[in-house]
Amino acid sequence: MTSCNCIESPWPGDELLMKYQYISDFFIALAYFSIPLELIYFVKKSAVFPYRWVLVQFGAFIVLCGATHLINLWTFDAHTRNVEIVMTTAKVLTAVVSCVTALMLVHIIPDLLSVKTRELFLKNKAAELDREMGLIRTQEETGRHVRMLTHEIRSTLDRHTILKTTLVELGRTLGLEECALWMPTRTGLELQLSYTLRQQNPVGFTVPIQHPVINQVFGSNRAIKISPNCPVARLRSLAGKYMLGEVVAVRVPLLHLSNFQINDWPELSTKRYALMVLMLPSDSARQWHVHELELVEVVADQVAVALSHAAILEESMRARDLLMEQNVALDLARREAETAVRARNDFLAVMNHEMRTPMHAIIALSSLLQETELTPEQRLMVETILKSSNLLATLINDVLDLSRLEDGSLQLEIGTFNLHAVFREVLNLIKPIASIKKLFVSSSLSTDLPELAVGDEKRLMQIMLNVVGNAVKFSKEGNISVFAFVAKSESLRDSHTPDFFPVHSDNHFYLRVQVKDSGSGIDPQDIPKLFTKFAQSKSLAARNSGGSGLGLAICKRFVNLMGGHIWVESEGIGKGSTAVFIVKLGILESSNEHKLPFLPKMAVNHSQINFPGLKVLVMDDNGVSRSVTKGLLLHLGCDVTTVRSADDCLQAVSPEYKVVFLDLCMPGLDGHEAVIRRIRERFTKRHEGPLLVALTGNKDRLTKENCLRVGINGVILKPVSVDKMRTVLSEVLEHRFQFETY
């Protein structure tokens, strides 16, 4: 029998104990074998576990331990050496695997501990992220409330609605028990309760603006918690309440509204803030949160912006209303002015015609009377009548020119003319008058003065006649000198012309004319009055000059229209005077010399010409004017027929009439245009028809343009003397065209 090498137990066990050990080893082996199966299932299902190889080692250790206990079942009875070898091998393997596993756990445990640390850190981060997300959600909620409040506040630009809406929306959003707005008074020394959330008509409580709490709030741009017992917060009833809710106050910036002058808005000086007070419900544990305070601050700023827009809108609307009122007033004034101008022009046109008609009769008949046999005394009286009549006619012309200058209807007639001929003609007209007073008149034209110039010849001659005529009028003896030259840059700037700023160009030059006389002179204090209409200096008025006081006033306006300046110099009474004017004229380009218009010829003396047997037809609706014109023509030897209407004229006109005089009353020609057209249509060949000459009292450009348009051959301005009628008839018969320069 083979001997057993098993170690015998020092304590002999009975059969029952052996049986229990046997059963226990069986279940231990069964448990050891089931644990690896569970670990294999865990490793298979856990794809992210980082220590699979450790679990494999741990599983092998458990399997070997289970195998050891299982093999140990055969050691309770007699067993063979093979069982002993297997048992030994299993224990050796179990020892090796258990040591290796223990060593590996030494390295794994720190890693497991660091994972635990990271897990704790991640948990803390997750908690912090949750808090931040809560803040973000709170801020989003606050932003939503701000946007909603801003939309409600800015939905209107009425300041009262803005403030009331602000209180209502804040009370609803924040669940306030009361909300109030204190506005500065007009004096700026107190705050007055203006708006509340719960009270419909708040009583006008006032609080000194220098109160410490108010100064504290106004000194910060943040919402500040204040005591519920502060004067600006004592707005709630204390009945039945044990604890008042928390109160915050914030300033609301206001514009300096004195810049806008809003009617019922307080004038602000140093303090530019209103005070908004917000109160949480009483008897509650609720407190103000940071996001709620931020909401209040943002809303206060939005209210300030909305109030500024409302103030600007109110001022804009007030300015618009004022502008509309001013526009209405200006439009009314413009219409009244236009009506007045039209009425004045109509009045002047009518009065011009009505005044010229009797003047026409007086001058015409006086000139006829002057050519009869008269005694010296009678001739003196007739000459006085003619002189006075011509003076009155000149006054009428001056008044009409002044009227057209003042309403801006007078325009310069720009054309090419002979500048030297203008000076010669002026002197030829002045010398006869000067010779009567035994005055010597001389002229000096500089060598660089161009012979041809571009400008208004008629207005330039009118200026020169007036200035030289004044020199003759106010001089009893001595001489009168006229100097004309091209003004250089240094001579344009004169102490007498501080407001004259000449503009030089290559196409223009400045003509300077000086008229020096040895007359009575002028008091320097009276010189400014010379260019005032209907005003004369005392020294001139005392000499009974016979002037109207319009000549130089009109000359000044003509000179201004021609881009120049006029003034008078005198050292005093008895020392003579010098009249100086500068006008701007155009330079004729050499390329346009061949395009020169017809230059006026030297005046022809028609004083002894008569027209015996010349058949003339006169149409005039005024009996006196018709008779006077007929008398002038009869005196010149004409065979005259007169008619009073257009129909009579059309019936009477025939080829035997060489000239037809038509009296034109108004600038628009009235019904005469149809008469002229029918006369022209009656004669197919123009040279077979009569020459048409217009008698008119209107000297404006419109009359001349209308006459040219309808085909009139000549125009003569009333009043008409014998010499003027003789000259007109001579020119129109010779050239078939004559327009009096007027």
Side-chain angles (χ1 to χ4, degrees), residues 265-448:
W265 195 274
E267 292 285 346
L268 303 181
S269 54
T270 56
K271 299 299 182 182
R272 302 184 184 181
Y273 305 105
L275 184 68
M276 185 186 298
V277 181
L278 304 94
M279 310 171 196
L280 292 178
S282 302
D283 297 334
S284 69
R286 183 180 165 190
Q287 295 180 342
W288 286 98
H289 297 288
V290 175
H291 69 276
E292 292 176 334
L293 296 178
E294 292 176 351
L295 173 63
V296 171
E297 294 165 0
V298 172
V299 169
D301 292 336
Q302 293 299 319
V303 170
V305 173
L307 287 178
S308 66
H309 291 174
I312 294 173
L313 178 65
E314 288 185 22
E315 175 62 17
S316 300
M317 293 178 64
R318 190 183 69 84
R320 182 199 62 184
D321 294 340
L322 180 60
L323 183 60
M324 290 179 63
E325 293 176 1
Q326 292 176 347
N327 287 340
V328 170
L330 288 175
D331 185 64
L332 180 60
R334 178 183 59 81
R335 293 182 181 180
E336 292 177 351
E338 291 176 351
T339 303
V341 169
R342 285 194 298 268
R344 184 190 65 178
N345 292 340
D346 294 342
F347 172 77
L348 289 175
V350 173
M351 291 305 296
N352 177 39
H353 178 264
E354 296 302 326
M355 287 189 295
R356 286 182 185 275
T357 298
M359 288 301 303
H360 173 55
I362 295 171
I363 292 178
L365 295 178
S366 299
S367 63
L368 288 174
L369 185 60
Q370 191 180 27
E371 296 193 2
T372 63
E373 294 294 334
L374 299 173
T375 65
E377 184 179 357
Q378 290 173 335
R379 185 169 298 279
L380 179 60
M381 288 189 290
V382 172
E383 290 177 352
T384 302
I385 292 174
L386 276 174
K387 181 178 179 181
S388 300
S389 300
N390 288 323
L391 182 61
L392 183 57
T394 303
L395 176 60
I396 294 173
N397 293 336
D398 288 346
V399 170
L400 293 176
D401 282 342
L402 183 62
S403 173
R404 293 165 60 199
L405 282 168
E406 289 182 343
D407 64 20
S409 61
L410 190 144
Q411 296 180 352
L412 298 178
E413 298 180 9
I414 304 300
T416 303
F417 63 95
N418 191 317
L419 183 58
H420 290 203
V422 170
F423 282 95
R424 288 194 297 268
E425 187 172 353
V426 169
L427 292 180
N428 290 335
L429 292 172
I430 292 296
K431 280 182 177 179
I433 303 174
S435 63
I436 296 175
K437 303 180 69 173
K438 298 181 180 180
L439 297 173
F440 177 72
V441 180
S442 63
S443 65
S444 175
L445 307 182
S446 65
T447 56
D448 62 344

Side-chain angles (χ1 to χ4, degrees), residues 174-203:
L174 299 176
L176 302 177
E177 180 180 1
E178 184 60 280
C179 185
L181 190 70
W182 297 77
M183 298 290 295
T185 59
R186 290 185 178 275
T187 61
L189 300 177
E190 295 177 321
L191 290 180
Q192 182 178 8
L193 180 61
S194 302
Y195 301 91
T196 60
L197 177 61
R198 306 301 178 189
Q199 303 176 28
Q200 295 297 327
N201 297 310
V203 180

